Amino acid sequence: MQPVVEMLNIRKEFPGILANDNVTITLNHGEVLALLGENGAGKSTLMSVLFGLYQPESGTIKVKGQEVKIPNPNVAGELGIGMVHQHFKLVHNFTVTENIVLGIEPTRGGVLTLKQASEKIRQLSKQYGLDVDPDAKIEDVSVGMQQRVEILKMLYRNSEVLIFDEPTAVLTPQEILELMKIMRNLQAEGKSIIVITHKLKEIKAIADRCTVIRRGKLVGTVSVKDTSQAQMAEMMVGREVSFHVDKGPFNPGATVLQVNNLSVRNNRKLPALKSFTLDVRAGEIVGVAGVEGNGQTEFVEALTGLRPVDSGHILVNGNEITRATVRQRIDAKVAHIPEDRQKRGLVLDYTLAENFVLENHGLEPFSTKGFLNQDAIYAQANRLIEAFDVRSGEGAKSKARGLSGGNQQKAIVGREIDLNPDLLIAVQPTRGLDVGSIEYIHKRLVEQRDAGKAVLLVSLELDEILDLSDRIAVVCRGELVGVVDAKSTDENKIGLMMAGVKTGVAE
């Protein structure tokens, strides 16, 4: 059978980085092909070449057996190739229909006519089970719905080959299941799909074949049903990966964080957290579990000084920090791995060296009498790059923007742990990371706990909460449902509590 797409010996370079080193992949008609690799392995770059965003240094692309040149995304569209990017390309104050027809606007006598387009979108939405309202504004719909709009954008343009770049990174577990259903519908209609991912569970659920790339090189292509998750992980990382978090019994010490009757409002001035009480002791990891949007973000912002508190108290090592500044909290030995690494964790146009001293650039040895000591700053950067295996083209001089997501995250984790905090607040520490990076960051969090630090883990990944935590606090609609011992609970019980059902709650 003639493949729909062949990418033969593709080579793509950037300054200091060989992103794709003679990579060959094929996509057959009506199949789902997973493109698997660590962060920075070159997966998105390869698909950006297919979509016309980058031009390769060498190699050949064939579509339905014909050799083609794809100088830009418009040509990719004409060849029936569409792409849903990890960060959606939507205009937020436009309607769904306006976003979908953008660039190919239907006009009659120079006047925009959206009625027919809107009807076509409604029909496509029904045909593929997308359930999208063509008249809704993008700013009013959920992230999962925005992704469906991106899918409709491809279908409206009659795309036959659909590329999904990390499609589940921003979705809730329920939205992920819905997306899987949509992909099966697309496949049943004869579409051919490439999914860029590093989530092995999802590959097993949806893909037919899996092509693995490691550090820009092709490792191989395997049949998904004949290959275990452990085998795929080993192909991806180049060594055996442990899916189990190795940690001994915990020995809690003195209370480091005390949160008493904390109430906080959200951006719309509505109660987000209601009389919330929790403590975290030295030498333990306390996980906070809950469905997204149940007050976790506001809780963390209150703890880290990014949101004012309505009432209640926050104490660290017995000292009140409820109204303290961010600087005072850092001085009180509180460190924070933020939920959004690009918005809150890094200054993207600063170098790695500059990002590593964001919190202590005013201290010796990094500055003396108001002047920065570049030698000390670069010495620290090089030490952290090596200690936390941060990979970048130009080392300490690399701009943070140019790093893969996993390496950006390792840089933040390294910087925060290097502050030697008493309390480490880790929010979604492995969001969007591959199994190798996840294993690495989990190990570092357990090391902190074993060194007698208090760790507060906030995550939407229930597996991560159950694997890492010693105690688990469950939050629902801004209220504490209960705190349970991690060893004596399971996913089902926690899931019920996340829905607001109090079952077997024990402090």
Side-chain angles (χ1 to χ4, degrees):
M1 189 172 67
Q2 178 73 57
V4 184
V5 170
E6 296 166 273
M7 299 184 78
L8 309 170
N9 302 312
I10 300 294
R11 183 181 177 86
K12 179 65 195 161
E13 290 180 60
F14 297 104
I17 294 173
L18 180 53
N20 296 140
D21 187 358
N22 294 329
V23 177
T24 294
I25 70 162
T26 60
L27 174 69
N28 296 319
H29 176 74
E31 81 166 341
V32 178
L33 175 72
L35 197 54
L36 175 67
E38 291 184 274
N39 292 100
K43 313 180 294 292
S44 295
T45 301
L46 186 66
M47 288 301 100
S48 295
V49 168
L50 179 58
F51 191 55
L53 290 169
Y54 296 142
Q55 298 308 303
E57 269 66 50
S58 60
T60 306
I61 299 172
K62 289 183 180 180
V63 175
K64 293 179 181 168
Q66 300 295 309
E67 190 173 324
V68 294
K69 289 268 183 282
I70 308 179
N72 58 55
N74 289 341
V75 173
E78 286 160 19
L79 290 165
I81 299 167
M83 185 167 181
V84 176
H85 300 270
Q86 189 174 352
H87 303 288
F88 307 145
K89 315 285 188 195
L90 297 170
V91 183
H92 277 231
N93 56 349
F94 277 19
T95 65
V96 167
T97 299
E98 287 165 347
N99 269 282
I100 288 171
V101 301
L102 202 55
I104 51 167
E105 295 87 348
T107 56
R108 189 176 294 135
V111 179
L112 193 61
T113 54
L114 293 177
K115 198 171 175 199
Q116 257 181 313
S118 183
E119 194 46 48
K120 184 182 173 184
I121 290 161
R122 197 171 263 110
Q123 284 169 357
L124 284 168
S125 173
K126 196 174 175 188
Q127 182 183 344
Y128 292 97
L130 292 164
D131 194 28
V132 171
D133 175 6
D135 303 320
K137 270 198 174 175
I138 294 298
E139 62 193 3
D140 297 330
V141 302
S142 70
V143 173
M145 197 55 79
Q146 288 177 30
Q147 188 176 61
R148 293 176 188 204
V149 175
E150 288 280 18
I151 296 169
L152 273 169
K153 214 193 271 185
M154 296 192 289
L155 297 174
Y156 187 85
R157 287 160 172 73
N158 301 316
S159 297
E160 292 298 319
V161 173
L162 314 180
I163 304 164
F164 290 85
D165 188 358
E166 298 288 357
T168 63
V170 290
L171 303 185
T172 66
Q174 291 78 9
E175 286 172 332
I176 290 169
L177 292 174
E178 285 297 315
L179 177 66
M180 296 287 173
K181 207 192 290 177
I182 289 163
M183 282 190 185
R184 284 190 198 96
N185 291 346
L186 292 165
Q187 190 180 14
E189 294 274 350
K191 305 292 185 190
S192 310
I193 298 172
I194 299 176
V195 184
I196 303 171
T197 187
H198 45 240
K199 294 192 176 178
L200 299 165
K201 204 192 280 186
E202 288 162 19
I203 289 175
K204 289 296 275 184
I206 195 70
D208 300 302
R209 290 187 307 138
C210 175
T211 293
V212 184
I213 299 176
R214 184 165 73 238
R215 298 205 183 185
K217 284 187 163 69
L218 177 72
V219 177
T221 300
V222 294
S223 158
V224 170
K225 70 172 189 297
D226 301 331
T227 314
S228 70
Q229 287 190 39
Q231 287 167 317
M232 286 192 276
E234 196 168 331
M235 286 175 77
M236 171 165 72
V237 182
R239 60 178 171 78
E240 208 172 300
V241 177
S242 169
F243 291 98
H244 176 69
V245 177
D246 197 21
K247 66 184 191 3
F250 75 115
N251 300 300
T255 300
V256 175
L257 173 68
Q258 273 176 284
V259 178
N260 298 324
N261 296 315
L262 194 68
S263 293
V264 183
R265 291 177 189 273
N266 63 18
N267 291 342
R268 295 185 316 201
K269 305 289 181 234
L270 298 170
L273 205 65
K274 305 160 197 166
S275 299
F276 195 88
T277 296
L278 184 68
D279 65 292
V280 186
R281 296 164 293 184
E284 76 168 342
I285 297 175
V286 173
V288 176
V291 177
E292 190 162 18
N294 276 266
Q296 304 97 310
T297 299
E298 290 83 1
F299 176 45
V300 170
E301 287 174 351
L303 292 179
T304 52
L306 300 172
R307 183 174 291 274
V309 167
D310 266 9
S311 60
H313 300 276
I314 304 166
L315 290 88
V316 172
N317 290 324
N319 300 312
E320 178 107 25
I321 63 158
T322 315
R323 311 251 180 277
T325 63
V326 173
R327 175 78 259 163
Q328 287 165 335
R329 289 171 208 240
I330 294 167
D331 293 342
K333 308 211 84 173
V334 177
H336 175 210
I337 299 166
E339 179 176 1
D340 188 328
R341 52 182 165 259
Q342 297 197 346
K343 201 155 101 185
R344 291 261 167 88
L346 298 163
V347 180
L348 293 176
D349 289 318
Y350 278 14
T351 62
L352 263 179
E354 289 162 340
N355 272 289
F356 280 134
V357 292
L358 283 178
E359 290 149 306
N360 49 16
H361 62 273
L363 307 175
E364 293 270 9
F366 307 116
S367 67
T368 311
K369 294 180 181 164
F371 290 95
L372 291 174
N373 179 347
Q374 295 294 344
D375 288 347
I377 289 170
Y378 274 87
Q380 162 174 273
N382 290 328
R383 177 174 62 77
L384 289 177
I385 284 167
E386 191 174 337
F388 288 85
D389 188 31
V390 182
R391 296 175 198 167
S392 60
E394 298 174 87
K397 292 188 174 130
S398 296
K399 289 265 171 84
R401 186 181 295 286
L403 270 65
S404 70
N407 286 306
Q408 288 178 348
Q409 192 72 359
K410 284 185 194 172
I412 294 166
V413 171
R415 179 187 69 203
E416 297 304 309
I417 285 176
D418 198 56
L419 292 171
N420 190 26
D422 289 340
L423 171 66
L424 177 62
I425 301 168
V427 190
Q428 298 282 58
T430 60
R431 175 176 250 175
L433 301 192
D434 57 73
V435 285
S437 299
I438 289 170
E439 180 193 40
Y440 181 86
I441 286 170
H442 283 175
K443 204 178 281 182
R444 288 308 180 112
L445 293 176
V446 172
E447 274 173 18
Q448 287 298 292
R449 164 240 205 206
D450 292 346
K453 313 293 187 187
V455 181
L456 181 71
L457 170 70
V458 181
S459 176
L460 297 174
E461 301 283 348
L462 207 41
D463 291 349
E464 182 164 69
I465 291 277
L466 287 161
D467 284 347
L468 281 178
S469 307
D470 299 304
R471 290 187 301 138
I472 300 170
V474 184
V475 60
C476 179
R477 297 188 194 93
E479 294 180 3
L480 182 69
V481 180
V483 181
V484 294
D485 189 332
K487 279 204 299 287
S488 60
T489 192
D490 58 36
E491 202 166 314
N492 193 32
K493 284 181 195 160
I494 297 288
L496 282 170
M497 290 173 73
M498 281 162 65
V501 181
K502 301 193 180 197
T503 58
V505 175
E507 273 289 349

